[in-house]
Amino acid sequence: MSEAGSISTEQLRLWDKRHVWHPFTQMQEWERDEQIIIVKGEGCWLIDTDGKRYLDGVASMWTNVHGHCRRELNDALKEQVDRLEHSTLLGLASEQSIILAARLAEITPPGLDRFFYSDNGSTAMEVAVKMAYQYQVHKGRPERSRFITFRNAYHGDTLGAVSVGGIGIYHTTFRPLMFETLQAPSPYCYRCELGYKSDSCDWECVKALEELMEQNVGQVAGLVIEPLVQGAGGMIVQPAGFLKCVRELCDRYDILMIADEVATGFGRTGEMFACNHESVIPDIMAISKGIAAGYLPLAATVTGEKVYSAFLGSYSELKTFFHGHTFTGNPLACAVALKSLQLFKQDNLLAELQPKIARLKMRLDDFMSMPHVGDVRQCGLAAGVELVENKETGSPYPWEDSVGIRVCLEARKRGIFSRPLGNTIVIFPPLVISNSELDMLLDVLYESIRVVTE
Ligand SMILES: *Cc1c(COP(=O)(O)O)cnc(C)c1O
């Protein structure tokens, strides 16, 4: 019998502090506090060892789609585990990974129908970057080795993914280990780094991007972008039309466009993929987080004939893509992902989402009038509320004040689990959240912001 359930909360807390090194966490502070230990999930709720319930306001790090412990997904997983738990894609094919690729090809942007599986968002991006460069090599232009990235971008934590990222606090330490990129301005209208205001701006950041391409003609392999919204950078929503401009520039300068749909994919923005909003078809697309509904680690780097066919040739031509991860195409993860796609249809999830997105939009207006809310940004069922010390000037709270974290601790007392991005409060619930749960989430966040900032 499993030990789970038989070990006291006290013992679990001790072992956690003694043995578990948590991600993105100052462990000295972690060890001082009494931590919540989750043992159960139910719909949008997480339940701790004392039976206390928390609404999962960040969809368990932006992964959860159909709720926790959804019966159909549990059944699909149980059924698969009794057939096959894992077998490799190196030298063998496996049933679930084949069916999933075929089903995904029906919903990905037109022409994107070649799936290279891996385990997480970072690996999907590593694959994208290496694939883009090797493509250029096969095209006879190995000098095209640079990548265009955006400030405030986040593409994961492995070194290649960090290299194409643009968030100082996460990335600066590792600068000596990273490869250099060409960084374009972040389309962050509230804090425009070029000094423009939305009403006086004539797409200056697009012009800057074009200049960067112009100055580096013939040297750039690919451009890496989070479509519509820079997530980890602070839910920075791009102005409508920006993505389309980026696609056109990539075409004009013959640069591969790599769309990181790790956070935005699988319905989050109100469409299956964020690129769909602007009818943009990237050359390479990375998907992960929501792909297996938040159940298991799974990712894919997706491309089409243009890139795929450049890798074809006899073995001796050395055109093989020499890259692979041990658990590539894991059947358990693929089985859940397949069932998740069925649930999207069965539950009419994308259509059901639209009124919730509208409700979120309406409720966010209340936040905008709060004295310490500088900006409110929404993209589908994701939003960020940026807190500022001075609303007039937009001057931020000093990061050492941990205003975002304090708001989330207040929210936790009121039964909401949330996790901020600096001074930005994040709203990113499971897509199946009900209207009343969404109201509760927003009521509690509003109240928590009020308590901390007023
Ligand atoms: C989370 C995230 C990643 C990294 O995914 P991991 O699974 O944490 O490696 C990459 N890109 C974006 C846009 C993300 O939000």
Side-chain angles (χ1 to χ4, degrees):
M1 215 187 83
S2 150
E3 284 188 284
S6 66
I7 294 174
S8 73
T9 307
E10 276 328 295
Q11 181 65 72
L12 291 171
R13 286 210 174 101
L14 280 173
W15 279 344
D16 179 68
K17 289 174 184 179
R18 177 71 186 81
H19 299 297
V20 182
W21 191 341
H22 288 257
F24 282 96
T25 302
Q26 177 41 260
M27 293 306 293
Q28 186 172 306
E29 287 173 8
W30 179 268
E31 288 176 23
R32 267 204 308 264
D33 296 336
E34 183 151 293
Q35 303 301 344
I36 294 168
I37 299 169
I38 299 300
V39 290
K40 234 171 107 64
E42 243 176 56
C44 293
W45 296 83
L46 296 167
I47 302 161
D48 76 2
T49 44
D50 301 326
K52 195 160 183 253
R53 297 163 67 87
Y54 301 89
L55 183 69
D56 188 355
V58 287
S60 291
M61 254 1 269
W62 313 357
T63 59
N64 195 281
V65 177
H66 309 288
H68 293 279
C69 282
R70 174 79 184 245
R71 188 182 44 79
E72 294 94 324
L73 295 172
N74 289 10
D75 288 346
L77 182 56
K78 289 175 195 167
E79 200 178 300
Q80 180 57 36
V81 80
D82 281 333
R83 282 159 59 78
L84 173 66
E85 77 303 329
H86 184 66
S87 106
T88 183
L89 292 199
L90 283 77
L92 291 171
S94 75
E95 187 186 22
Q96 297 287 8
S97 65
I98 296 170
I99 306 172
L100 179 60
R103 292 295 175 225
L104 285 171
E106 293 168 4
I107 58 164
T108 43
L112 294 186
D113 56 3
R114 301 282 183 176
F115 295 84
F116 190 99
Y117 287 114
S118 64
D119 321 307
N120 59 69
S122 307
T123 55
M125 287 306 297
E126 296 284 340
V127 168
V129 165
K130 287 175 72 179
M131 190 182 272
Y133 178 63
Q134 195 175 336
Y135 165 84
Q136 301 294 358
V137 171
H138 293 332
K139 287 285 167 186
R141 32 198 206 202
E143 69 286 357
R144 294 199 182 190
S145 60
R146 313 199 73 181
F147 284 85
I148 293 180
T149 61
F150 291 90
R151 272 186 282 285
N152 291 321
Y154 179 80
H155 300 291
D157 292 328
T158 54
L159 280 174
V162 166
S163 294
V164 294
I167 302 179
I169 194 170
Y170 301 164
H171 298 155
T172 306
T173 311
F174 303 107
R175 177 100 22 220
L177 308 185
M178 289 154 60
F179 62 80
E180 293 260 342
T181 65
L182 301 164
Q183 253 191 16
S186 168
Y188 188 2
C189 297
Y190 179 61
R191 297 188 185 283
C192 176
E193 59 183 275
L194 302 170
Y196 290 89
K197 297 256 173 292
S198 325
D199 45 5
S200 63
C201 152
D202 186 25
W203 293 92
E204 312 298 336
C205 57
V206 174
K207 287 183 194 159
L209 174 63
E210 180 167 11
E211 222 162 275
L212 202 56
M213 292 182 174
E214 188 61 47
Q215 286 160 358
N216 294 278
V217 168
Q219 298 176 52
V220 181
L223 169 145
V224 184
I225 186 168
E226 291 159 271
L228 295 202
V229 54
Q230 293 186 309
M235 293 296 156
I236 300 167
V237 178
Q238 298 153 18
F242 181 81
L243 191 67
K244 190 113 190 149
C245 287
V246 171
R247 175 71 267 186
E248 284 165 12
L249 285 175
C250 286
D251 282 338
R252 191 164 341 134
Y253 288 88
D254 194 14
I255 290 169
L256 292 177
M257 180 181 182
I258 302 170
D260 179 351
E261 290 257 13
V262 169
T264 48
F266 299 94
R268 180 56 54 181
T269 65
E271 291 269 358
M272 202 46 129
F273 297 101
C275 286
N276 298 1
H277 287 272
E278 303 201 358
S279 306
V280 161
I281 305 174
D283 298 292
I284 301 175
M285 184 167 110
I287 51 179
S288 184
K289 290 199 170 104
I291 186 174
Y295 267 58
L296 286 160
L298 181 67
T301 306
V302 196
T303 192
E305 271 334 279
K306 171 175 154 180
V307 171
Y308 180 77
S309 61
F311 286 76
L312 302 179
S314 68
Y315 185 72
S316 59
E317 285 178 78
L318 289 178
K319 285 187 168 179
T320 305
F321 188 42
F322 288 110
H323 187 110
H325 297 282
T326 307
F327 279 98
T328 287
N330 175 258
L332 299 174
C334 289
V336 174
L338 264 172
K339 181 55 75 175
S340 169
L341 292 183
Q342 282 178 17
L343 290 181
F344 265 96
K345 279 197 196 140
Q346 181 192 312
D347 295 352
N348 213 0
L349 192 56
L350 288 182
E352 293 287 324
L353 214 49
Q354 306 312 319
K356 285 182 227 174
I357 291 171
R359 192 182 191 91
L360 175 59
K361 182 168 171 14
M362 188 186 72
R363 296 288 320 265
L364 283 173
D365 287 344
D366 306 339
F367 286 75
M368 201 55 226
S369 52
M370 299 180 84
H372 289 278
V373 169
D375 195 23
V376 172
R377 302 180 283 269
Q378 183 193 4
C379 182
L381 206 64
V385 177
E386 183 169 338
L387 307 177
V388 289
E389 190 158 52
N390 185 325
K391 187 162 175 148
E392 226 57 351
T393 63
S395 66
Y397 282 107
W399 64 269
E400 313 89 275
D401 285 4
S402 311
V403 170
I405 292 176
R406 277 158 49 206
V407 168
C408 291
L409 288 174
E410 284 298 324
R412 186 179 295 190
K413 289 187 207 157
R414 296 165 174 81
I416 297 285
F417 176 71
S418 184
R419 203 175 148 85
L421 294 161
N423 294 332
T424 296
I425 305 305
V426 174
I427 297 158
F428 207 113
L431 297 186
V432 290
I433 193 168
S434 69
N435 283 335
S436 59
E437 287 166 337
L438 187 58
D439 284 344
M440 181 204 163
L441 173 61
L442 293 165
D443 289 343
V444 167
L445 289 177
Y446 186 95
E447 178 61 13
S448 304
I449 291 172
R450 208 187 54 72
V451 168
V452 171
T453 63
E454 289 175 29

